[in-house]
Amino acid sequence: DFLREPLRAPDTTWVANLSLDFPPPWPQDATYIRADEPAVVAVGEDGRAVWLRFSARRGAAYEVHVDGAVLHVVDEAAQVLLSSDASTSWVADRDGDVHLMLVAATPGTYTLRLDGP
């Protein structure tokens, strides 16, 4: 229809109820970590990401400490809230669980800590 009449908007009613249904990339049994308690994470030879969970408080500022790896903080909609390969700060925009994905270029043991309220 659009190619025949490019000035007329195409009929999109058939896509109105479509949605993507995909499983989240994190495991449902990801380990919880607590603020101010270091989490020691082992990254294996396969190079896969290690997933953790954290219960954040809205408006709370957290100091993120990670050395030698990259940390991604991800919300329930799989949107990346923070990516960092060094110590940095992060302010939670909501209460509740966030997912933490730690990725390392080389196998080994890494320490992650979120210092906060």
Side-chain angles (χ1 to χ4, degrees):
D1 291 344
F2 176 73
L3 294 176
R4 279 185 295 215
E5 298 180 53
L7 298 178
R8 184 173 159 215
D11 178 11
T12 59
T13 56
W14 63 275
V15 297
N17 293 324
L18 290 180
S19 66
L20 294 176
D21 185 23
F22 62 92
W26 51 82
Q28 297 301 313
D29 62 346
T31 302
Y32 271 99
I33 66 169
R34 296 173 164 266
D36 302 321
E37 292 181 12
V40 177
V41 179
V43 176
E45 291 287 335
D46 56 11
R48 292 185 185 164
V50 175
W51 286 96
L52 304 162
R53 284 190 285 185
F54 177 72
S55 185
R57 275 192 9 224
R58 181 186 179 143
Y62 298 95
E63 289 297 317
V64 178
H65 304 279
V66 61
D67 188 29
V70 176
L71 176 71
H72 303 285
V73 179
V74 182
D75 70 9
E76 289 292 326
Q79 291 183 330
V80 177
L81 305 174
L82 170 76
S83 290
S84 180
D85 62 353
S87 294
T88 189
S89 60
W90 168 64
V91 176
D93 65 350
R94 65 180 185 88
D95 287 331
D97 287 350
V98 292
H99 303 276
L100 309 170
M101 181 176 71
L102 190 75
V103 181
T106 58
T109 302
Y110 298 88
T111 302
L112 165 67
R113 193 176 78 238
L114 296 173
D115 292 334

